[in-house]
Amino acid sequence: MALMITDECINCDVCEPECPNEAISPGDEIYVIDPNKCTECVGHYDEPQCQQVCPVDCIPHDPEHQETHEQLMEKYHRLTGS
């Protein structure tokens, strides 16, 4: 399942550089996560790094993009070419 950023985001800029897939970018008002690039850090880390650094805890799972661990790993391989 991809992650999403809620409107509680304070635009602190700490999540974007932590994403190994470059899935996080500035949106019109808050940061956004591209579900096509988000692997919840599967393949890179044990836990989603953006969730670890977010000071306001505004990065939950996106219920509209549910994926299994295996699907996230497939996406990781597709994105990294490994």
Side-chain angles (χ1 to χ4, degrees):
M1 169 179 311
L3 301 172
M4 61 183 280
I5 298 176
T6 67
D7 60 3
E8 294 153 354
C9 175
I10 59 171
N11 290 313
C12 66
D13 302 322
V14 298
C15 62
E16 183 182 21
E18 295 300 318
C19 182
N21 296 323
E22 299 180 351
I24 301 174
S25 62
D28 291 336
E29 295 185 25
I30 61 173
Y31 278 86
V32 295
I33 296 178
D34 181 345
N36 295 315
K37 292 182 178 180
C38 179
T39 63
E40 294 184 43
C41 291
V42 168
H44 295 283
Y45 303 103
D46 292 334
E47 297 179 359
Q49 298 301 288
C50 59
Q51 287 181 330
Q52 299 300 308
V53 299
C54 181
V56 294
D57 196 26
C58 69
I59 308 175
H61 288 101
D62 185 347
E64 295 189 20
H65 295 97
Q66 296 187 20
E67 297 168 288
T68 65
H69 185 272
E70 291 76 23
Q71 289 171 315
L72 292 169
M73 185 59 83
E74 287 176 24
K75 188 189 304 184
Y76 161 77
H77 289 298
R78 188 173 63 249
L79 290 170
T80 62
S82 61

mmCIF file of all heavy atoms in Angstrom, residues 19-52:
data_model
loop_
_atom_site.group_PDB
_atom_site.id
_atom_site.type_symbol
_atom_site.label_atom_id
_atom_site.label_comp_id
_atom_site.label_asym_id
_atom_site.label_seq_id
_atom_site.Cartn_x
_atom_site.Cartn_y
_atom_site.Cartn_z
ATOM 1 N N CYS A 19 13.104 10.116 0.957
ATOM 2 C CA CYS A 19 12.490 9.118 0.081
ATOM 3 C C CYS A 19 13.489 8.590 -0.946
ATOM 4 O O CYS A 19 13.954 9.334 -1.810
ATOM 5 C CB CYS A 19 11.284 9.712 -0.641
ATOM 6 S SG CYS A 19 10.452 8.510 -1.709
ATOM 7 N N PRO A 20 13.819 7.301 -0.883
ATOM 8 C CA PRO A 20 14.805 6.744 -1.812
ATOM 9 C C PRO A 20 14.283 6.609 -3.242
ATOM 10 O O PRO A 20 15.065 6.464 -4.173
ATOM 11 C CB PRO A 20 15.116 5.366 -1.217
ATOM 12 C CG PRO A 20 13.881 5.003 -0.480
ATOM 13 C CD PRO A 20 13.342 6.301 0.067
ATOM 14 N N ASN A 21 12.970 6.696 -3.414
ATOM 15 C CA ASN A 21 12.377 6.558 -4.751
ATOM 16 C C ASN A 21 11.972 7.886 -5.372
ATOM 17 O O ASN A 21 11.394 7.911 -6.450
ATOM 18 C CB ASN A 21 11.136 5.653 -4.683
ATOM 19 C CG ASN A 21 11.477 4.257 -4.265
ATOM 20 O OD1 ASN A 21 12.512 3.717 -4.637
ATOM 21 N ND2 ASN A 21 10.614 3.653 -3.473
ATOM 22 N N GLU A 22 12.257 8.983 -4.678
ATOM 23 C CA GLU A 22 11.865 10.318 -5.129
ATOM 24 C C GLU A 22 10.366 10.394 -5.396
ATOM 25 O O GLU A 22 9.916 11.023 -6.355
ATOM 26 C CB GLU A 22 12.683 10.732 -6.350
ATOM 27 C CG GLU A 22 14.170 10.801 -6.065
ATOM 28 C CD GLU A 22 15.002 11.206 -7.263
ATOM 29 O OE1 GLU A 22 14.479 11.286 -8.386
ATOM 30 O OE2 GLU A 22 16.206 11.435 -7.052
ATOM 31 N N ALA A 23 9.580 9.753 -4.527
ATOM 32 C CA ALA A 23 8.122 9.730 -4.674
ATOM 33 C C ALA A 23 7.460 10.953 -4.053
ATOM 34 O O ALA A 23 6.299 11.232 -4.328
ATOM 35 C CB ALA A 23 7.550 8.466 -4.037
ATOM 36 N N ILE A 24 8.188 11.686 -3.226
ATOM 37 C CA ILE A 24 7.620 12.845 -2.526
ATOM 38 C C ILE A 24 8.057 14.121 -3.227
ATOM 39 O O ILE A 24 9.228 14.307 -3.538
ATOM 40 C CB ILE A 24 8.067 12.862 -1.052
ATOM 41 C CG1 ILE A 24 7.612 11.578 -0.357
ATOM 42 C CG2 ILE A 24 7.518 14.103 -0.341
ATOM 43 C CD1 ILE A 24 8.126 11.417 1.053
ATOM 44 N N SER A 25 7.079 14.999 -3.450
ATOM 45 C CA SER A 25 7.377 16.278 -4.095
ATOM 46 C C SER A 25 6.427 17.344 -3.561
ATOM 47 O O SER A 25 5.362 17.025 -3.022
ATOM 48 C CB SER A 25 7.233 16.155 -5.613
ATOM 49 O OG SER A 25 5.898 15.818 -5.955
ATOM 50 N N PRO A 26 6.796 18.621 -3.721
ATOM 51 C CA PRO A 26 5.899 19.686 -3.282
ATOM 52 C C PRO A 26 4.638 19.696 -4.148
ATOM 53 O O PRO A 26 4.710 19.620 -5.369
ATOM 54 C CB PRO A 26 6.708 20.963 -3.504
ATOM 55 C CG PRO A 26 8.122 20.515 -3.642
ATOM 56 C CD PRO A 26 8.070 19.130 -4.199
ATOM 57 N N GLY A 27 3.504 19.788 -3.497
ATOM 58 C CA GLY A 27 2.241 19.908 -4.215
ATOM 59 C C GLY A 27 1.821 21.365 -4.222
ATOM 60 O O GLY A 27 2.611 22.257 -3.900
ATOM 61 N N ASP A 28 0.573 21.624 -4.574
ATOM 62 C CA ASP A 28 0.077 22.999 -4.598
ATOM 63 C C ASP A 28 0.113 23.640 -3.214
ATOM 64 O O ASP A 28 0.499 24.798 -3.074
ATOM 65 C CB ASP A 28 -1.341 23.043 -5.150
ATOM 66 C CG ASP A 28 -1.395 22.719 -6.636
ATOM 67 O OD1 ASP A 28 -0.380 22.908 -7.324
ATOM 68 O OD2 ASP A 28 -2.465 22.274 -7.102
ATOM 69 N N GLU A 29 -0.291 22.874 -2.188
ATOM 70 C CA GLU A 29 -0.324 23.431 -0.841
ATOM 71 C C GLU A 29 0.511 22.637 0.155
ATOM 72 O O GLU A 29 1.032 23.205 1.106
ATOM 73 C CB GLU A 29 -1.761 23.513 -0.349
ATOM 74 C CG GLU A 29 -2.596 24.484 -1.161
ATOM 75 C CD GLU A 29 -3.993 24.655 -0.612
ATOM 76 O OE1 GLU A 29 -4.187 24.438 0.599
ATOM 77 O OE2 GLU A 29 -4.868 24.998 -1.400
ATOM 78 N N ILE A 30 0.595 21.323 -0.036
ATOM 79 C CA ILE A 30 1.374 20.459 0.847
ATOM 80 C C ILE A 30 2.164 19.477 -0.007
ATOM 81 O O ILE A 30 1.943 19.370 -1.210
ATOM 82 C CB ILE A 30 0.476 19.688 1.845
ATOM 83 C CG1 ILE A 30 -0.508 18.789 1.081
ATOM 84 C CG2 ILE A 30 -0.230 20.634 2.803
ATOM 85 C CD1 ILE A 30 -1.321 17.850 1.962
ATOM 86 N N TYR A 31 3.058 18.752 0.625
ATOM 87 C CA TYR A 31 3.806 17.732 -0.098
ATOM 88 C C TYR A 31 2.864 16.601 -0.507
ATOM 89 O O TYR A 31 1.844 16.364 0.146
ATOM 90 C CB TYR A 31 4.942 17.181 0.769
ATOM 91 C CG TYR A 31 6.156 18.064 0.727
ATOM 92 C CD1 TYR A 31 6.276 19.149 1.578
ATOM 93 C CD2 TYR A 31 7.170 17.825 -0.184
ATOM 94 C CE1 TYR A 31 7.380 19.979 1.527
ATOM 95 C CE2 TYR A 31 8.280 18.643 -0.238
ATOM 96 C CZ TYR A 31 8.377 19.718 0.610
ATOM 97 O OH TYR A 31 9.476 20.537 0.542
ATOM 98 N N VAL A 32 3.203 15.932 -1.590
ATOM 99 C CA VAL A 32 2.397 14.818 -2.092
ATOM 100 C C VAL A 32 3.305 13.619 -2.358
ATOM 101 O O VAL A 32 4.513 13.776 -2.562
ATOM 102 C CB VAL A 32 1.630 15.196 -3.382
ATOM 103 C CG1 VAL A 32 0.598 16.272 -3.104
ATOM 104 C CG2 VAL A 32 2.569 15.651 -4.479
ATOM 105 N N ILE A 33 2.698 12.432 -2.351
ATOM 106 C CA ILE A 33 3.422 11.201 -2.633
ATOM 107 C C ILE A 33 2.845 10.575 -3.890
ATOM 108 O O ILE A 33 1.635 10.362 -3.988
ATOM 109 C CB ILE A 33 3.320 10.205 -1.461
ATOM 110 C CG1 ILE A 33 3.988 10.795 -0.228
ATOM 111 C CG2 ILE A 33 3.955 8.862 -1.835
ATOM 112 C CD1 ILE A 33 3.904 9.925 1.019
ATOM 113 N N ASP A 34 3.699 10.279 -4.854
ATOM 114 C CA ASP A 34 3.287 9.611 -6.082
ATOM 115 C C ASP A 34 3.146 8.121 -5.779
ATOM 116 O O ASP A 34 4.149 7.446 -5.519
ATOM 117 C CB ASP A 34 4.340 9.836 -7.165
ATOM 118 C CG ASP A 34 3.996 9.190 -8.490
ATOM 119 O OD1 ASP A 34 3.085 8.331 -8.546
ATOM 120 O OD2 ASP A 34 4.660 9.531 -9.487
ATOM 121 N N PRO A 35 1.922 7.582 -5.822
ATOM 122 C CA PRO A 35 1.732 6.166 -5.484
ATOM 123 C C PRO A 35 2.412 5.217 -6.463
ATOM 124 O O PRO A 35 2.663 4.058 -6.131
ATOM 125 C CB PRO A 35 0.213 5.990 -5.496
ATOM 126 C CG PRO A 35 -0.294 7.101 -6.339
ATOM 127 C CD PRO A 35 0.669 8.232 -6.177
ATOM 128 N N ASN A 36 2.743 5.700 -7.644
ATOM 129 C CA ASN A 36 3.440 4.856 -8.617
ATOM 130 C C ASN A 36 4.918 4.686 -8.274
ATOM 131 O O ASN A 36 5.581 3.812 -8.819
ATOM 132 C CB ASN A 36 3.298 5.439 -10.023
ATOM 133 C CG ASN A 36 1.867 5.430 -10.485
ATOM 134 O OD1 ASN A 36 1.152 4.444 -10.327
ATOM 135 N ND2 ASN A 36 1.405 6.551 -11.024
ATOM 136 N N LYS A 37 5.435 5.549 -7.397
ATOM 137 C CA LYS A 37 6.841 5.471 -6.994
ATOM 138 C C LYS A 37 7.021 5.026 -5.546
ATOM 139 O O LYS A 37 8.115 4.644 -5.165
ATOM 140 C CB LYS A 37 7.514 6.833 -7.170
ATOM 141 C CG LYS A 37 7.676 7.273 -8.604
ATOM 142 C CD LYS A 37 8.397 8.592 -8.649
ATOM 143 C CE LYS A 37 8.649 9.070 -10.053
ATOM 144 N NZ LYS A 37 9.355 10.378 -10.047
ATOM 145 N N CYS A 38 5.962 5.110 -4.744
ATOM 146 C CA CYS A 38 6.079 4.784 -3.322
ATOM 147 C C CYS A 38 6.069 3.275 -3.113
ATOM 148 O O CYS A 38 5.133 2.581 -3.501
ATOM 149 C CB CYS A 38 4.944 5.422 -2.536
ATOM 150 S SG CYS A 38 4.999 5.034 -0.769
ATOM 151 N N THR A 39 7.131 2.780 -2.485
ATOM 152 C CA THR A 39 7.215 1.358 -2.134
ATOM 153 C C THR A 39 7.214 1.174 -0.617
ATOM 154 O O THR A 39 7.525 0.096 -0.128
ATOM 155 C CB THR A 39 8.506 0.719 -2.690
ATOM 156 O OG1 THR A 39 9.634 1.351 -2.083
ATOM 157 C CG2 THR A 39 8.566 0.807 -4.192
ATOM 158 N N GLU A 40 6.870 2.250 0.126
ATOM 159 C CA GLU A 40 6.954 2.239 1.584
ATOM 160 C C GLU A 40 8.373 1.874 2.020
ATOM 161 O O GLU A 40 8.586 1.269 3.061
ATOM 162 C CB GLU A 40 5.953 1.277 2.212
ATOM 163 C CG GLU A 40 4.520 1.678 2.016
ATOM 164 C CD GLU A 40 3.571 0.755 2.737
ATOM 165 O OE1 GLU A 40 3.844 0.395 3.900
ATOM 166 O OE2 GLU A 40 2.554 0.397 2.143
ATOM 167 N N CYS A 41 9.330 2.195 1.202
ATOM 168 C CA CYS A 41 10.750 1.916 1.415
ATOM 169 C C CYS A 41 11.101 0.431 1.357
ATOM 170 O O CYS A 41 12.225 0.044 1.678
ATOM 171 C CB CYS A 41 11.267 2.550 2.705
ATOM 172 S SG CYS A 41 11.342 4.354 2.626
ATOM 173 N N VAL A 42 10.154 -0.413 0.931
ATOM 174 C CA VAL A 42 10.440 -1.839 0.744
ATOM 175 C C VAL A 42 11.574 -1.951 -0.275
ATOM 176 O O VAL A 42 11.573 -1.298 -1.309
ATOM 177 C CB VAL A 42 9.183 -2.609 0.259
ATOM 178 C CG1 VAL A 42 9.547 -4.002 -0.221
ATOM 179 C CG2 VAL A 42 8.145 -2.664 1.371
ATOM 180 N N GLY A 43 12.569 -2.761 0.062
ATOM 181 C CA GLY A 43 13.740 -2.923 -0.792
ATOM 182 C C GLY A 43 14.886 -2.008 -0.393
ATOM 183 O O GLY A 43 16.029 -2.265 -0.727
ATOM 184 N N HIS A 44 14.560 -0.926 0.308
ATOM 185 C CA HIS A 44 15.583 0.026 0.753
ATOM 186 C C HIS A 44 15.796 -0.044 2.269
ATOM 187 O O HIS A 44 16.923 -0.115 2.730
ATOM 188 C CB HIS A 44 15.190 1.464 0.392
ATOM 189 C CG HIS A 44 15.118 1.739 -1.067
ATOM 190 N ND1 HIS A 44 16.228 1.921 -1.855
ATOM 191 C CD2 HIS A 44 14.051 1.857 -1.907
ATOM 192 C CE1 HIS A 44 15.854 2.157 -3.105
ATOM 193 N NE2 HIS A 44 14.542 2.123 -3.155
ATOM 194 N N TYR A 45 14.696 0.042 3.007
ATOM 195 C CA TYR A 45 14.744 0.096 4.473
ATOM 196 C C TYR A 45 13.654 -0.802 5.072
ATOM 197 O O TYR A 45 12.728 -1.201 4.383
ATOM 198 C CB TYR A 45 14.519 1.533 4.973
ATOM 199 C CG TYR A 45 15.504 2.526 4.427
ATOM 200 C CD1 TYR A 45 15.146 3.406 3.407
ATOM 201 C CD2 TYR A 45 16.797 2.601 4.927
ATOM 202 C CE1 TYR A 45 16.043 4.325 2.903
ATOM 203 C CE2 TYR A 45 17.704 3.518 4.428
ATOM 204 C CZ TYR A 45 17.326 4.379 3.416
ATOM 205 O OH TYR A 45 18.220 5.279 2.914
ATOM 206 N N ASP A 46 13.754 -1.030 6.363
ATOM 207 C CA ASP A 46 12.757 -1.845 7.055
ATOM 208 C C ASP A 46 11.465 -1.087 7.335
ATOM 209 O O ASP A 46 10.409 -1.694 7.492
ATOM 210 C CB ASP A 46 13.314 -2.359 8.387
ATOM 211 C CG ASP A 46 14.420 -3.371 8.189
ATOM 212 O OD1 ASP A 46 14.449 -4.033 7.138
ATOM 213 O OD2 ASP A 46 15.268 -3.494 9.091
ATOM 214 N N GLU A 47 11.541 0.235 7.414
ATOM 215 C CA GLU A 47 10.380 1.066 7.706
ATOM 216 C C GLU A 47 10.373 2.270 6.777
ATOM 217 O O GLU A 47 11.436 2.745 6.370
ATOM 218 C CB GLU A 47 10.422 1.550 9.153
ATOM 219 C CG GLU A 47 10.363 0.436 10.175
ATOM 220 C CD GLU A 47 10.445 0.974 11.599
ATOM 221 O OE1 GLU A 47 10.559 2.195 11.793
ATOM 222 O OE2 GLU A 47 10.405 0.146 12.515
ATOM 223 N N PRO A 48 9.186 2.805 6.475
ATOM 224 C CA PRO A 48 9.124 4.008 5.638
ATOM 225 C C PRO A 48 9.860 5.171 6.310
ATOM 226 O O PRO A 48 9.542 5.558 7.438
ATOM 227 C CB PRO A 48 7.625 4.292 5.539
ATOM 228 C CG PRO A 48 6.964 2.973 5.795
ATOM 229 C CD PRO A 48 7.854 2.291 6.789
ATOM 230 N N GLN A 49 10.847 5.692 5.642
ATOM 231 C CA GLN A 49 11.676 6.748 6.210
ATOM 232 C C GLN A 49 10.918 8.056 6.388
ATOM 233 O O GLN A 49 11.149 8.786 7.348
ATOM 234 C CB GLN A 49 12.917 6.961 5.348
ATOM 235 C CG GLN A 49 13.809 5.734 5.283
ATOM 236 C CD GLN A 49 14.283 5.311 6.656
ATOM 237 O OE1 GLN A 49 15.109 5.965 7.261
ATOM 238 N NE2 GLN A 49 13.740 4.212 7.164
ATOM 239 N N CYS A 50 9.992 8.357 5.504
ATOM 240 C CA CYS A 50 9.235 9.606 5.629
ATOM 241 C C CYS A 50 8.406 9.599 6.908
ATOM 242 O O CYS A 50 8.327 10.616 7.603
ATOM 243 C CB CYS A 50 8.349 9.852 4.410
ATOM 244 S SG CYS A 50 7.123 8.561 4.081
ATOM 245 N N GLN A 51 7.822 8.456 7.243
ATOM 246 C CA GLN A 51 7.053 8.354 8.484
ATOM 247 C C GLN A 51 7.960 8.531 9.696
ATOM 248 O O GLN A 51 7.544 9.103 10.705
ATOM 249 C CB GLN A 51 6.344 7.005 8.582
ATOM 250 C CG GLN A 51 5.159 6.859 7.666
ATOM 251 C CD GLN A 51 4.485 5.503 7.819
ATOM 252 O OE1 GLN A 51 5.128 4.502 8.139
ATOM 253 N NE2 GLN A 51 3.192 5.458 7.576
ATOM 254 N N GLN A 52 9.177 8.049 9.615
ATOM 255 C CA GLN A 52 10.107 8.141 10.736
ATOM 256 C C GLN A 52 10.508 9.576 11.047
ATOM 257 O O GLN A 52 10.718 9.924 12.207
ATOM 258 C CB GLN A 52 11.362 7.306 10.457
ATOM 259 C CG GLN A 52 11.099 5.838 10.272
ATOM 260 C CD GLN A 52 10.452 5.221 11.501
ATOM 261 O OE1 GLN A 52 10.950 5.364 12.605
ATOM 262 N NE2 GLN A 52 9.333 4.556 11.307
#
